[in-house]
Amino acid sequence: MADKKAKSIDQATIELIEKAAKDNCNIAFDRADEMKPCPIGSVGSCCKNCGMGPCRVPLPRGKEETPEEQMKRRGICGATAETISARNFVRMIAGGSAAHSDHGRGVAELFLAVAKGEASGYEIKDEQKLLQLALEWGIEIGDRSNNEIAIDIGEKALAEFGKQEGELLFISRAPLKRQEIWRREGVVPRGIDREVVEIMHRTHMGVDQDYDNLLKQGTRAALADGWGGSMIATELQDILFGTPSPLLSQVNLGVLKKDEVNIIIHGHEPLLSEMIVAAAQDPQMLEMAKSKGAKGINLAGICCTANEILMRHGVPLAGNFLQQELALVTGAVDAMVVDVQCIFESLPEVAQCYHTKIVTTSYKAKMKGATHIEFEEHDALTSAKEIVKLAIENFPNRGSNIHIPEEKTDLIAGFSHETINYLLGGLFRASYRPLNENIINGRIRGVAGVVGCNNPRAMHDEAHVAMVKELIKNDVLVLQTGCSAMATAKAGLLVPEAAAQYAGAGLAEVCETVGIPPVLHMGACVDNSRILIAATAAVKDGGLGDDISDLPVAGAAPEWMSEKAIAIGQYFVTSGVFTVFGVTWPTTGSKEVTDFLFEGIEEKYGGKWAFEQDPIKAARLMIEHIDKKRAALGIDKARERVLYDMAMRRELDEV
Ligand code: NFS
Ligand code: SF4
């Protein structure tokens, strides 16, 4: 049992929190102790959308409110608690969708530049996926070169962001029934940018004042993220950098090396980090590192950039979101390179306690106290080498106050949709048939996507690991992305051996036969789009209903903190998936809005939200939902038989 007062279940994290305190270095864990969340803002009851406010409309404490009292609880403009809560919620969706999608746009721009031969150092790595996408989008292949085809794809992808009318192209990937539901509800996204802008318009003072209508636009923008911006990011990154396939790597701060130049890549976009991977292997750079007394150059990642280069190059993971400052506290990081998203502004401050150079690389994300070396897509390798050089030159400045924790754990990553298809179905007839069959016969009870962040308001990594263990114990195959995957990787759940140790007998049997872990790492948070594709493939393979909402699946983000997580949750829910969040829930200031998200929304979309802080209880909610779906499909009996067989076998063994 974890010590309830501890800040983390991870030993490396605990050690470095202690070291930070000794070094007098203020970190997020300290700040979270010093500042409690605002009780009004945290439930969505504070509006600051205009200069008449901020207006606070908190629920009265300790007594039931009469409808008249509730009607009086309004902002200066008359906005009700419902409107304010819904506006805040959909603005979170706008923020999250914008972040994922602007990342996707950046990829599309680079993709086009590469196709036009204007971005040296990059090339199209996955020809097969390029041609598949060309077929899907009706782009002529004939005897045209890859680059000619890629120009058309890049232009079409970029046009998705500014499309004024019609439907996003990837919407047609969803099961037909799902598409009909979205059309019926009027939420099929047009251009990605348009949906985000429309949220900002409708949540401006005095515009949309109907929470239901606001949430509808939130859905449209969230779908524009999951089936638009994020999916474009994943697909084009795969074509450009290669579609991931299983590989072995390691996770946790123990991957830092005492005698090598340590460079941490942190943030989200793989565009530049792909080049840093290349620059770090450059013989000239290695020579330079040796001349400074280092044995080599060691790259490791934090947050989703880490996941991107892990998935495609096996670069080890230094840690997840809440370990970013702690990486610097080791005293062994010579440079930390950041691009966009999830980057603590305190990093340059923490770096000052040690010797680390913080390097910003995006014109969109600068920081006081950091060195800015801008990512130049036309000559990315030069920027990358400049960064590596800076780290090398900083290596001799390492002080003696160094502590690299011992913790590092093996993991297998690289489970793209294509890989799962191939691993389960075999080279000549890739398919989801074996997965579906094992779900139907009950060996696999269902599938869960467990994703999302860390949040210092909850014990670091605890909920991820507890939830995932509970799920696999109950024969639920777990798909993961983001910081959640890193949490369970540290706990040793991302290796095939974890099946025998932690999984239920049915799931373990399947994992052992195929040779996969019971928990599959599918990549960064934009790669949640891979989970949508996997779910759709399972539907299309047959036997499990005709929509995502028929599948025995569930989703969760037990330690979420980011607006991106809310956008992801909303597109999962409205794609038909029951989704549970932990830590805190941002609409409880309005009973109507919360009831709608937790109940009413299911009637429209077949999926709904839930909030449960206890990870075991949350896992049970997911399993209950999975069992409900199994019963509706009429496959619950099969599972009973499987369990009966197991019990009989055990009995026989005991005799
Ligand atoms: Ni996802 Fe990735 Fe981590 Fe949360 Fe941040 S890194 S995009 S947002 S904290 S999982
Ligand atoms: Fe207050 Fe209305 Fe202005 Fe919001 S928009 S700050 S509720 S007056």
Side-chain angles (χ1 to χ4, degrees):
M1 247 347 258
D3 169 6
K4 281 290 167 208
K5 276 194 292 264
K7 305 254 187 238
S8 174
I9 56 162
D10 169 40
Q11 183 55 28
T13 299
I14 293 169
E15 278 171 34
L16 288 163
I17 292 174
E18 284 165 9
K19 181 172 187 291
K22 251 193 281 150
D23 295 350
N24 250 326
C25 190
N26 186 272
I27 55 175
F29 291 97
D30 303 320
R31 294 189 292 273
D33 281 344
E34 285 150 19
M35 182 168 47
K36 293 290 158 220
C38 164
I40 301 173
S42 63
V43 296
S45 295
C46 172
C47 177
K48 54 174 186 55
N49 292 7
C50 90
M52 294 187 279
C55 299
R56 285 140 297 157
V57 291
L59 276 169
R61 279 206 204 172
K63 63 173 181 78
E64 276 287 310
E65 196 179 31
T66 65
E68 292 76 37
E69 283 169 330
Q70 188 192 348
M71 284 313 285
K72 279 197 204 134
R73 201 151 50 84
R74 289 167 183 264
I76 308 289
C77 65
T80 61
E82 282 57 60
T83 299
I84 290 175
S85 166
R87 279 202 303 226
N88 287 333
F89 189 71
V90 301
R91 276 204 173 191
M92 292 181 91
I93 294 176
S97 301
H100 284 144
S101 299
D102 209 35
H103 165 173
R105 183 203 323 274
V107 178
E109 283 174 340
L110 177 68
F111 187 91
L112 193 55
V114 173
K116 288 181 175 164
E118 292 165 0
S120 68
Y122 298 100
E123 58 181 10
I124 304 273
K125 291 248 174 70
D126 190 336
E127 183 183 25
Q128 201 189 341
K129 197 155 177 170
L130 174 89
L131 297 180
Q132 263 165 11
L133 188 53
L135 277 178
E136 184 182 333
W137 280 357
I139 288 165
E140 192 201 326
I141 296 176
D143 50 10
R144 300 168 82 205
S145 72
N146 281 354
N147 280 1
E148 283 171 310
I149 297 167
I151 290 176
D152 285 358
I153 288 182
E155 280 169 354
K156 229 176 163 113
L158 264 181
E160 289 292 275
F161 294 88
K163 200 185 240 176
Q164 294 307 311
E165 277 177 61
E167 302 185 348
L168 287 183
L169 292 168
F170 282 148
I171 289 298
S172 65
R173 288 182 163 190
L176 288 175
K177 189 156 168 213
R178 185 51 34 188
Q179 296 179 41
E180 280 162 24
I181 291 170
W182 290 333
R183 288 191 193 106
R184 181 191 73 205
E185 296 298 326
V187 295
V188 179
R190 302 155 292 182
I192 298 154
D193 294 348
R194 177 166 190 174
E195 304 310 350
V196 174
V197 167
E198 194 167 313
I199 286 186
M200 297 315 280
H201 176 194
R202 284 161 71 160
T203 55
H204 180 277
M205 185 263 143
V207 187
D208 201 350
Q209 329 206 346
D210 171 353
Y211 75 82
D212 205 14
N213 205 39
L214 280 159
L215 293 172
K216 182 171 150 184
Q217 180 56 19
T219 298
R220 218 178 195 183
L223 292 173
D225 173 0
W227 297 86
S230 282
M231 203 171 277
I232 289 173
T234 298
E235 296 297 281
L236 298 191
Q237 283 173 183
D238 279 358
I239 297 173
L240 205 47
F241 306 132
T243 302
S245 56
L247 40 73
L248 175 70
S249 188
Q250 288 188 312
V251 59
N252 215 344
L253 288 161
V255 303
L256 294 175
K257 296 200 174 134
K258 212 175 161 64
D259 46 9
E260 295 192 17
V261 175
N262 288 311
I263 304 177
I264 298 250
I265 311 174
H266 171 26
H268 283 78
E269 299 181 344
L271 311 182
L272 176 61
S273 36
E274 280 281 326
M275 282 296 154
I276 295 180
V277 173
Q281 290 161 356
D282 185 291
Q284 208 190 338
M285 292 288 140
L286 288 169
E287 226 14 78
M288 190 192 288
K290 291 202 176 116
S291 76
K292 299 283 178 194
K295 287 211 175 111
I297 303 170
N298 182 40
L299 281 189
I302 300 239
C303 285
C304 283
T305 301
N307 284 324
E308 300 279 8
I309 53 178
L310 163 77
M311 294 283 284
R312 300 196 179 85
H313 301 284
V315 171
L317 303 167
N320 50 9
F321 178 65
L322 275 180
Q323 290 179 289
Q324 56 182 292
E325 294 169 313
L326 300 176
L328 309 186
V329 175
T330 63
V333 174
D334 303 299
M336 178 181 270
V337 192
V338 304
D339 49 42
V340 291
Q341 301 170 24
C342 300
I343 298 152
F344 281 154
E345 192 173 340
S346 55
L347 289 174
E349 200 66 31
V350 176
Q352 270 192 1
C353 304
Y354 308 95
H355 78 300
T356 312
K357 292 255 193 259
I358 307 291
V359 183
T360 52
T361 57
S362 167
Y363 76 92
K364 293 174 198 162
K366 295 192 174 181
M367 280 163 116
K368 295 273 178 270
T371 310
H372 188 72
I373 301 179
E374 196 146 314
F375 165 56
E376 231 314 326
E377 71 180 21
H378 302 292
D379 193 14
L381 194 58
T382 306
S383 321
K385 281 187 179 166
E386 203 183 321
I387 291 165
V388 174
K389 224 167 100 185
L390 183 109
I392 295 171
E393 275 159 6
N394 197 29
F395 176 76
N397 300 331
R398 260 192 218 175
S400 54
N401 181 13
I402 291 175
H403 174 67
I404 300 176
E406 279 176 7
E407 279 67 29
K408 54 179 169 185
T409 312
D410 283 349
L411 76 137
I412 308 274
F415 292 94
S416 52
H417 149 70
E418 289 80 352
T419 303
I420 295 177
N421 210 4
Y422 160 77
L423 275 179
L424 288 168
L427 183 56
F428 297 106
R429 215 185 62 81
S431 85
Y432 272 59
R433 192 75 244 145
L435 175 68
N436 284 24
E437 269 163 14
N438 278 306
I439 293 175
I440 292 165
N441 69 28
R443 278 194 195 89
I444 295 178
R445 188 173 194 156
V447 181
V450 181
V451 307
C453 325
N454 293 140
N455 187 324
R457 303 298 181 193
M459 194 194 292
H460 172 236
D461 286 352
E462 197 236 58
H464 291 298
V465 175
M467 173 182 279
V468 170
K469 278 188 178 166
E470 182 68 18
L471 289 168
I472 59 178
K473 189 174 90 187
N474 285 286
D475 294 313
V476 176
L477 175 70
V478 176
L479 309 179
Q480 292 211 277
T481 60
C483 292
S484 183
M486 301 191 199
T488 54
K490 282 182 271 178
L493 301 181
L494 266 55
V495 287
E497 301 78 62
Q501 202 178 343
Y502 299 106
L507 175 62
E509 192 186 330
V510 176
C511 290
E512 277 156 24
T513 314
V514 187
I516 53 171
V519 183
L520 305 181
H521 189 345
M522 298 189 79
C525 292
V526 289
D527 296 327
N528 284 317
S529 61
R530 296 191 200 277
I531 300 182
L532 297 177
I533 300 291
T536 303
V539 171
K540 289 188 176 162
D541 213 90
L544 293 173
D546 49 13
D547 182 23
I548 296 173
S549 66
D550 295 332
L551 296 172
V553 302
E559 298 179 29
W560 78 279
M561 64 85 205
S562 143
E563 292 174 326
K564 289 177 282 178
I566 294 290
I568 292 166
Q570 184 75 2
Y571 73 64
F572 266 97
V573 165
T574 54
S575 295
V577 181
F578 171 68
T579 303
V580 195
F581 270 38
V583 192
T584 180
W585 183 256
T587 69
T588 43
S590 161
K591 190 175 176 309
E592 274 86 342
V593 171
T594 308
D595 284 353
F596 177 75
L597 293 171
F598 290 1
E599 285 305 331
I601 197 169
E602 192 176 25
E603 266 170 47
K604 292 178 191 267
Y605 299 104
K608 63 178 180 183
W609 288 91
F611 170 52
E612 173 55 64
Q613 289 171 318
D614 180 327
I616 302 294
K617 283 190 193 151
R620 301 247 165 90
L621 289 177
M622 296 162 81
I623 294 166
E624 234 171 71
H625 175 82
I626 283 169
D627 285 349
K628 197 176 83 191
K629 292 295 171 183
R630 293 188 67 86
L633 288 166
I635 54 173
D636 45 336
K637 298 288 174 302
R639 184 163 164 82
E640 276 163 27
R641 263 198 314 275
V642 168
L643 288 178
Y644 186 56
D645 287 347
M646 298 289 169
M648 289 212 315
R649 241 185 280 162
R650 238 169 263 137
E651 261 174 39
L652 285 176
D653 285 345
E654 276 160 12
V655 178

